[in-house]
Amino acid sequence: MFLDKNSGNCQDLQFSQIDKFFCAGDLLVLNQSKVIPARLFGKKTTGASIELFLLKELKGDVWQCLLRPASRLKVGHMVLLDEGLKAEVLSKDGQVNTVKFFAPDNQNVRLWIDKVGKMPLPPYIKRNAKESDKTRYQTIYAKEDGSVAAPTAGLHFTQEMLEKLEEKGVKIAFVTLHVGLGTFLPVSTSNILEHRMHSEFCKIDDQSATLINETKKKGNRVIAVGSTSVRTLESFAVTEGKVDSGYKDTDIFLYPGKKFQIIDGLITNFHLPESTLIMMVAGFAGYENTLNAYKSAVKKKYRFFSYGDAMLIL
């Protein structure tokens, strides 16, 4: 779906036609974060089954994670995972827990997690993750390990599409935001100003920052692919039309009334009601425009969620 945020008009198209909306000098911004096999299954020493869902790597083989069922584990308890990998519970703080991993013979923990972990497919996919999902549940440009869910707007792109855009004079910049709890937790407060995002690691390198700033300076458009690219760009905005390079943990929350300083366009999937994602879309496209576009999408049976259809907003 193409949504004109100025007029509110919508058009129904195929994603393969998206290049007709781009002009020479436009900059497409992609999140190159790669999904890790974040679901680990094991047992307590008593034999009780436990699942660890990795959220964020800290340091020294220590990770933040969700534990299921958390009530079965206390600080100091060990979880025995496949192939001899072990995890010790270091702390428990509400939903988020901290564990330390131990690989057999002091080998590289990250390699063992990659070996025994399962891909964190969306919950509406009612099957177990397969080895092929380690490739299929990724964007074609995924490069840097760290996400626990795919930046799904990018799943629509093929290498041929990107090459077609580049042939048209469109430039491409890469940023990184590792998708964690902050992206997909629903807003549960009645006042959205009271909602607190969990922080997620993001970065922009010098080359991408230069491309972004040159594009804005020339008066050309920066079009972000996915909410994670938007949040990264807006997290590094220093003034309207300018970003810094660097890396940080961001808990930025974008919603109607917030000023967008960098992006001129957005490619995104269709999101759940009451999510921070749809609030960000409404903040960029306008509340009424977003509501009307979603009503049309429901009526025309657009597919929602991670493997669903896309929306281009300009």
Side-chain angles (χ1 to χ4, degrees):
M1 176 185 289
F2 168 64
L3 170 61
D4 184 324
K5 70 186 184 73
N6 294 315
S7 68
N9 292 335
C10 296
Q11 294 181 49
D12 303 307
L13 303 157
Q14 295 295 315
F15 194 83
S16 58
Q17 299 172 280
I18 201 168
D19 62 293
K20 77 177 191 176
F21 293 98
F22 284 80
C23 306
D26 285 342
L27 180 68
L28 188 69
V29 180
L30 306 171
N31 178 11
Q32 63 183 353
S33 183
K34 188 175 183 180
V35 184
I36 61 173
R39 298 186 71 190
L40 303 171
F41 299 91
K43 296 182 182 297
K44 286 178 58 178
T45 53
T46 60
S49 295
I50 299 291
E51 178 185 347
L52 279 71
F53 189 95
L54 304 180
L55 295 175
K56 185 178 182 181
E57 187 175 14
L58 301 177
K59 60 181 180 179
D61 299 329
V62 175
W63 287 71
Q64 288 180 343
C65 70
L66 303 178
L67 299 172
R68 300 170 181 162
S71 59
R72 289 183 176 177
L73 290 166
K74 296 181 180 179
V75 173
H77 279 180
M78 297 291 294
V79 180
L80 310 178
L81 303 158
D82 292 339
E83 305 287 343
L85 186 65
K86 299 177 182 179
E88 179 186 2
V89 180
L90 298 183
S91 67
K92 299 183 71 177
D93 182 15
Q95 286 183 303
V96 179
N97 310 275
T98 306
V99 303
K100 181 177 176 65
F101 286 96
F102 302 89
D105 303 320
N106 294 316
Q107 295 182 48
N108 185 290
V109 163
R110 190 57 180 271
L111 293 178
W112 281 80
I113 290 174
D114 290 343
K115 181 178 180 181
V116 306
K118 306 297 182 185
M119 289 297 278
L121 296 181
Y124 61 85
I125 295 180
K126 305 300 183 182
R127 64 169 174 80
N128 294 328
K130 300 181 291 188
E131 189 65 22
S132 60
D133 290 314
K134 290 184 177 180
T135 302
R136 289 181 57 81
Y137 191 50
Q138 306 281 8
T139 60
I140 59 167
Y141 46 81
K143 182 179 179 182
E144 299 198 14
D145 286 347
S147 282
V148 299
T152 51
L155 293 176
H156 299 282
F157 283 94
T158 63
Q159 190 59 45
E160 292 74 20
M161 286 182 185
L162 294 179
E163 290 171 359
K164 191 174 183 180
L165 288 171
E166 288 185 297
E167 288 170 3
K168 196 169 184 177
V170 176
K171 296 181 179 179
I172 295 175
F174 294 97
V175 299
T176 299
L177 183 142
H178 292 322
V179 182
L181 264 185
T183 295
F184 55 81
L185 270 185
V187 176
S188 56
T189 58
S190 56
N191 182 350
I192 64 169
L193 298 179
E194 297 174 359
H195 178 72
R196 292 293 176 265
M197 300 281 286
H198 284 266
S199 65
E200 296 165 310
F201 174 84
C202 63
K203 72 175 183 180
I204 299 179
D205 64 23
D206 291 340
Q207 181 180 0
S208 291
T210 298
L211 273 171
I212 293 159
N213 292 334
E214 287 179 349
T215 300
K216 297 297 291 186
K217 189 175 181 179
K218 292 175 182 176
N220 294 325
R221 300 180 301 179
V222 172
I223 299 169
V225 177
S227 60
T228 56
S229 296
V230 176
R231 294 182 65 231
T232 303
L233 291 169
E234 299 299 326
S235 293
F236 283 96
V238 287
T239 59
E240 186 171 358
K242 184 178 181 181
V243 299
D244 268 344
S245 60
Y247 61 91
K248 64 174 72 175
D249 288 331
T250 183
D251 60 357
I252 192 170
F253 179 23
L254 300 166
Y255 50 85
K258 283 278 189 177
K259 184 175 177 60
F260 289 75
Q261 300 192 82
I262 305 299
I263 69 164
D264 304 289
L266 169 63
I267 298 170
T268 184
N269 282 15
F270 289 89
H271 307 293
L272 282 169
E274 300 181 0
S275 66
T276 60
L277 304 173
I278 196 171
M279 290 179 185
M280 186 207 70
V281 172
F284 180 65
Y287 178 81
E288 291 297 332
N289 288 345
T290 303
L291 187 65
N292 291 335
Y294 269 63
K295 286 179 178 177
S296 177
V298 171
K299 183 178 180 180
K300 295 174 181 177
K301 301 189 183 300
Y302 272 71
R303 294 169 298 176
F304 280 48
F305 315 135
S306 299
Y307 282 119
D309 294 314
M311 172 189 282
L312 169 63
I313 307 169
L314 291 173

